[in-house]
Every structure is written in structure tokens, then in C-alpha cells.
Amino acid sequence: MNTISNNYSKNNINDRTKRDDIQPWALFLPEIKELICDKKFHELKKLLKGVHPIDLAEGWVNFLPKEKLIVFKLLEIRKAVEVFEELDFEEQTYILNNLEDISISEILTGMASDEKAKLFKKFPERIYKKMTTLLRKEDVDEVKNIVEYPKNTAGRLMSTDFVTLSPSLTAKHSLEKIQACARIHKIETIYVLYVVDDRNILIGGVTLRRLISAPQDIKISDIMSPVQLIKINVKTDQEDVAKKFSKYDLTAAPVVDDENHLIGIITIDDIVDVIQQEASEDIAKMGGTSASELSADSVVKVVRYRMPWLFVTFLGGLVTSWIMSGFQRTLSEIIALASFIPVVLGMGNNIGVQSAVIVVRALVIGQFEIKKVLSAIFREFKVGLLIGVVFGLFLGVVAYIKNRHGVPPEIYFAFAVGSGICASMTFAALIGMLIPVILYKFKIDPAVASGPFVATATDIVSLTSYLVISTVILL
Amino acid sequence: MNTISNNYSKNNINDRTKRDDIQPWALFLPEIKELICDKKFHELKKLLKGVHPIDLAEGWVNFLPKEKLIVFKLLEIRKAVEVFEELDFEEQTYILNNLEDISISEILTGMASDEKAKLFKKFPERIYKKMTTLLRKEDVDEVKNIVEYPKNTAGRLMSTDFVTLSPSLTAKHSLEKIQACARIHKIETIYVLYVVDDRNILIGGVTLRRLISAPQDIKISDIMSPVQLIKINVKTDQEDVAKKFSKYDLTAAPVVDDENHLIGIITIDDIVDVIQQEASEDIAKMGGTSASELSADSVVKVVRYRMPWLFVTFLGGLVTSWIMSGFQRTLSEIIALASFIPVVLGMGNNIGVQSAVIVVRALVIGQFEIKKVLSAIFREFKVGLLIGVVFGLFLGVVAYIKNRHGVPPEIYFAFAVGSGICASMTFAALIGMLIPVILYKFKIDPAVASGPFVATATDIVSLTSYLVISTVILL
């Protein structure tokens, strides 16, 4: 779906970007509705030419069912395909159910192979069969192939619409081939071209830029570059694909099977979506839920995403309560000690989560080297201790004032509370950093760690440190 | 810096990707060191041809200072520039200080304009002046221009190395102009070309694809498309630029000043970095720290990033403690009630953060419409209540067992604790969702909210609800 979208426009875009709470579709929607109402279809067709397909898809739900069909049928075929690709599955099925077979076939054939596969995957068996009768055999095979790859792998991201070159072609003939293909077929990109031998084994790549500026009678084999480093196995996880794109500043990469046959290409615009998606997923995991919650439609589904993490917290909370009961003697003798427990829990939690999110992000984007754990521990210890001392002093002062007429001499009490929170924060910072690292070592996604697990662990560690230290000092 | 990096390779890359804990640079590093030791510079030069500049830059710190200079001088100029662009500022200055003026001038001239600006910005006045004497006047002006734009704006992202077309050119002549430019100058991309009139006002755009497949004598004005929708003002924030790229699936966009003069282009590879960077920043903010912590070198700096958020938590914790003191009568009469406070705080916190991260992410990527707040509140209320009921039952059972011989009749106590945590979680879920929305309304970045603010607010809300409800039931 690599459409360089500079061929659509509306007039006063400057107004639009300034009032950023107004969505682009809101500006042309009333006009479209009016033209439909007045049956001015010729004018409507002209207006639609100036609307970006993505804006149209965004405003789609605001049309009446009948209006949707009228608008869709008035779009030129390439644009209709783009709008169709952007719509929800429900909207897509509504259109397919109300279009003649010949138009359906046009739309389906026009879709990018990855989008087509996504759509077909969702069809119930009966519809799937009906739709495949409307496609050419090669398109059906293409769809079947892509659908077979597991979710979130290179196989699902790749497009199978590309031109290949053979090493014996000249630059001139290659350009002619590319021109001819670009005119007739939809092609994901013509800016990077891959070279295969007669068994379709990937042997090299050449950029269109190189091809254009090379002498016209030179052979491809003389200007192509090896693509060893940047080829991607079809089973590679999409997160690793994204890492490779961003590390090597790629704009496209070839996808091969285990025998090194070229079977697809991935372009950078697909990667942008992956990065957004993975970042959302990481953020959600760190909060103890799933990014799917963003699009979940039922309350029960949301509850199901959140429940497991809340259960972790629940068990952790019970452990914390149980520890507190263990110190009942201390707490009942010096009731004032108990009143600072919310501060201790909150501070331990916060400093632990701070350490965790930083380590998790560094692990995820590959900036944290696992070899350097020891120096990271030492550094985190220093950070925790320094911050602990500062807040130890703060809380000590508060405790001194609050306990002016308390049971233990106020200065002892202040000292006990201060040292307690200092120890508690130091250990919480350490544990917040260590949990993601340990999970990573055991090949568990560290992002799931930083929310509930860290919160629970820091509660336990910080409360215990606080109570032990203050008990030792006071009793 | 849009280099399609398929021209570098090493032999057994398959081995490499499988052992993913081994960094690519680790594989050639010993060999390079050995060749330097044996003074086999000719062989070293050949070996370096096969190493990707980004891998080389990654392994750079493992060379001795003397080795660095030898390796750098043996690189061909284009690759030397790429390696140089990837290095840290300290490494860059080391190289510049030890290179002859003529080579420095080659390196600086070869750099992409945005990278050059980044480097010059960091030079102290004296070095800046010296370095500018080694550049051509137009390059100096370019750097000065870019450095003037505020951080994190389109002006800083854009490159000023591009070809423009005029509307009266034919497709054939345009292609010839592009070929000539691509051979002589470094150009950010030749795949999207922008059309300007004789006052350099942006009037359209055309893709290389279109240009190639068009009849060769057609005029640019007949095949160009308007670029209203996708042009970017030079002062636009980089986050908004990234949103536009990802919404409209762009691969490049023109940057204009207020008078619509074309002054630069932004390509998608720069946007990939922005998206990564913004995601890191959001994640760090949600944890109550800054993404700069990732690269902070001193413990004091880390402490400074974390301190403000911890202070928020500290004050919040004191408020929570103060509320607890307010319920001293309840708590001293029914000591068992106090022992569940860690559970209540932990659960409130967790469900609040869950709501917050989801809403924050939806706000940041533009999926949450502020109009729908009321329905979101109602939905979150249902989620919170449903989860609250479940954990109310759990905690009720625990309370019943734990308090078998307690002061209030066990069934009352269980009921009070259960209803307490149910109310506490419902309100915590609501407040976790509302705080980011309110901040967003007041144009404060919602990402800063979801960590410390939400944690503090949920502590206060959940503890109060728990104590009020259970007090009402029991006393």
C-alpha cells in the first residue's frame, strides 16, 4: 500500500491545519450530502476527485448506507480501492454485498496483496468461496500464500506485487521492463529492484536511482549490490523486521524463504505502522493491559484484558498485608509508624516504575547491553540511595513535627522513619531495574514486567525494608 | 540520510541473525585489529568494503584511538561520511582534530545537511568558526539556516538537498535533469520531485514513477499533482509531522515557509526515528521520568529527571497518610481493616494506571475523540464496577477467613471490606481515565499524567472510598 499521496487536495488546507480539532472529512461531508440530495452526481464526481481517500474513509461512518453506495460507485477505480482498503471489515462487507460482481472483481483485483489477504482471512467459508470465484487464479494463490503465514511475521507484512530483474538485462532494458510493469500492474515500489536468477533465487538488488544514472548498456550484474545483510526471512517477527529497517535506514527489503527464493518485498510504510503498533503494545503492557483494549468494543473484553494483571497485584497485595500483620507488634506499639505506610508504598512504587520503564525501553530498542548489568545495578543503587537520602530527610522532618509528643523520643522516631524510607526507596529502585532484566534473560517480554510485577514487587520490598529498619532502630 | 543500504554485506549473515546476541561488529572486529597489527593495509581496505557503515560505527568504541584513525582514513569517502554521521559527538571531534584540513572539508561537505547542522550546533564558537572556513559558502548558509529552527520542528528534520522541477519542463528533460543532479550532488531522494515556479513557490509534485511511465514529451504541468494536503510548514512540531506521514502513508513531504516557498523536504526515514523517539518519550513520561535518562551519563542527572515526579508522589503520599489519620477511630477499633490497606492501594493504583495508559495512547495517536468523553466515562465506570465486584468477592472471602474470631461479626466485616474495595476500584478506574483527558483539555501533554499523577490521585481516591464505605457499614 505504498501510495505517495500527493495527488489529492482540498483548497484551504492552511485553515485546516490551524484548526486542528476539525477533521478534514468534516469540511466536505455536508457538501457531499447536499449534492446527493440534489442528485447532482456529475458535480459530486468532480468534488470527490479532490478528496483524499483516507479522509473519505475517515468520514465514512457519517454517511447513510444509501449514500455510501452512491459515493463509492462514483469514485474512480484506483481511488475506490484505496478507500475500500481503509474501511472497517463491516463497511467492506456492506459494500461487497451491494456491488455487482464485475465491480467486486475490479476492487478485489486492485487491492494490494497484503490488504487482500487481511480481508479474505476474515470472510466466513461461504463468502470466501464466492469471492475467490471473482478473482483470477494467480490472485487467489497469492492470497492463500499470505494467509498461511503466522500473524506478526514478515510473511504477513510483505507484498507480492513487485518487478524482478535478471542479471543479464542491460540498464536500458531493465528500465523499459519497469516502465511497462508500472503502467500495467500495481507494484509495491519501483524504487528498489531485486535481481533473481532463473530459479528465482535472490542474488542482488539495485536502486532505481543507480539504474537511471548508470550507462544505458551496462548489465545489471555489473551494477547490482549484494543484499545479504538486509534480506529478511519470511518467518521473522515483525518487531525484528522493524528493528532492521530502523537500524540500517532501509526503505525496502526483500523477503526470502529458507531456500533463498525471493517471495515478497516489505516497504517502509508498512514498518511505520508496525512501529506505532509495537509502541502501543509496549505501553499497554507496561500498564498491565493490552493495546487491543483500544479497539475492544465490549466491556467484558476490556475486563478480560485487565484481569490477569490485577490478579497479580491482588496476590501481591495480600502478601504485603501479611507482612504488615507480621509487624503487628511494632505497629501497635508505635501507631505513628503505620500512618506513613501510604507514603512508603507510593514512593517505592514510583521509583521502581521509573527504573523499570527506562530499562524496558532500552531493552526493547536494543540500547541496553545485558553484559553491563553489573554496572547498571551499581548505578541504580547510587540513584536510589541518593534519592532515598533526600526523601529520608524530608520524611524525617515531617515525622519529627507530626510526632512532637509521641511515644519514642521525637528525634529517634524521625531518624527511624527517614532511614526506613531511604532503605525502602533504594531497594525499590534496584528491584524495578532487575525484574525486567531477569525476565529478558528468561526470554519473557520485559514490557509485561514494568507495570503490575514491578508495582507488586516494590510494594513488598519497600514495605519490608521500611518496617525492618524502623523496628530495629526503635525497639 | 536516506541511503538504501543494500550495498554492503558479509558472508554468513544467516549464522549471524540466528545468534542474535552477537552484534554484527563483533564478527569483523578481531580481523580488523589483526590486519592493523600486521600492517596489512591493502587487505584491510578490501575487508572494510564489505562492512556496513552502521555496523562499523556500532563497534567503533572497541578500537584504540590510533586504530580509529587508520580505519577511518582507509574508508572510501562516501562510506567515511556515513560512518562519521553515525558516531557520537566525542568520536566525531576526535576524528576532526586528527584529520588534515582537506579531508575534513571532504567529510563535512559530504554530510547530509540535517546531520551537518546537528554537528555544527554542538561545536564551541572557536571550532565552529574554524570549521566554517573549510566549507563552501552555500554549505555554511545551509547549516546556519537549519540551526536557526527550534528543536523538534520540521525545520530541523528537513534536508535541503533536493532537485526541483519547473512546470514548463518536459518529462524527458526532467529525467535528464534528475540524472545529472543525482550523479553530481548528494540528494535526499529522487523518488518524489517537487515543482516550483520562478519565485520558488511550491506549486506541485510528481513521483519519479509517474515521470518514468509518462509520455516523454508531456509537460510537467500536465502530470504534476497539487501538494496542498501534504505540505508541511517549517515550524510544525515533529510529532505532528510524524502523524501526517503515518496517516497519509507518505514517503516524502515538502517543507515550506509562511510564504509557501519550498525550503526543504522530509523523507520517511527521518520520521521512523521521530516515531521511535516520541514513543520512548511517552513511555518515560508515563513512568515519571524522561527518555533522556536512557543516555544520561551521570547519576546526578538521572536523579534530576526523576525528582519532580517523586515529589508529586511524596506530597500525594502525605495527603493519603493524613486521610488515614482522619480515620484513626475506625482503624483503631477495627485493626483488621488496616491490614488490607496495601491491597486497596495496590489495586486502585493498578486499575487506574490501566485506564490511564490506554486513554493516553489513544489521545497521542489521535484515536480518542474528546467529544466522546461522556460515553467513555460511562464505559470506564462499568469496567471498574465489574472488576470491583469480582475483587470485592475475592477480598470478602479472604476477610471472612482472616477475621473468623474478630470483633465485628465476620459476615459484616467481609461485606464491608468487599464493598470497600469494589467502590475503591471503580473510582480509581474513573480517575485514571479522567486525569489524562482533563490535562489534554488544558493542552498539557497527557503522557506526563499517567504515572505519578494518576498513582497519587488513585491512592487518595481509593483509600478514601475504602475507608468511608467500610466505616459506614461497620460503625
Side-chain angles (χ1 to χ4, degrees), chain B residues 57 59-65 68-69 72 83-84 86-98 119:
Chain B
W60 201 250
V61 286
N62 298 288
F63 289 118
L64 302 172
K68 285 175 190 171
L69 290 178
F72 194 81
V83 172
F84 187 80
E86 293 291 324
L87 293 177
D88 292 343
F89 181 64
E90 285 70 32
E91 298 289 349
Q92 288 178 331
T93 15
Y94 174 72
I95 289 175
L96 290 180
N97 286 333
N98 290 281
L119 176 68

Side-chain angles (χ1 to χ4, degrees), chain A residues 142-160 162 202 230-242 244 253-266, chain B residues 14 17-18:
Chain A
E142 209 182 71
V143 167
K144 273 192 192 145
N145 274 334
I146 295 190
V147 168
E148 269 170 20
Y149 298 112
K151 237 183 140 174
N152 300 335
T153 61
R156 280 294 184 85
L157 284 179
M158 74 185 185
S159 162
T160 52
F162 54 91
L202 176 70
I230 57 138
K231 72 179 177 194
I232 287 165
N233 188 287
V234 66
K235 295 174 217 144
T236 312
D237 186 83
Q238 63 174 10
E239 200 168 350
D240 295 327
V241 177
K244 208 165 210 178
V255 180
V256 294
D257 61 16
D258 291 337
E259 282 80 43
N260 219 5
H261 296 111
L262 179 64
I263 54 175
I265 60 167
I266 295 180
Chain B
N14 274 332
T17 43
K18 267 164 203 158

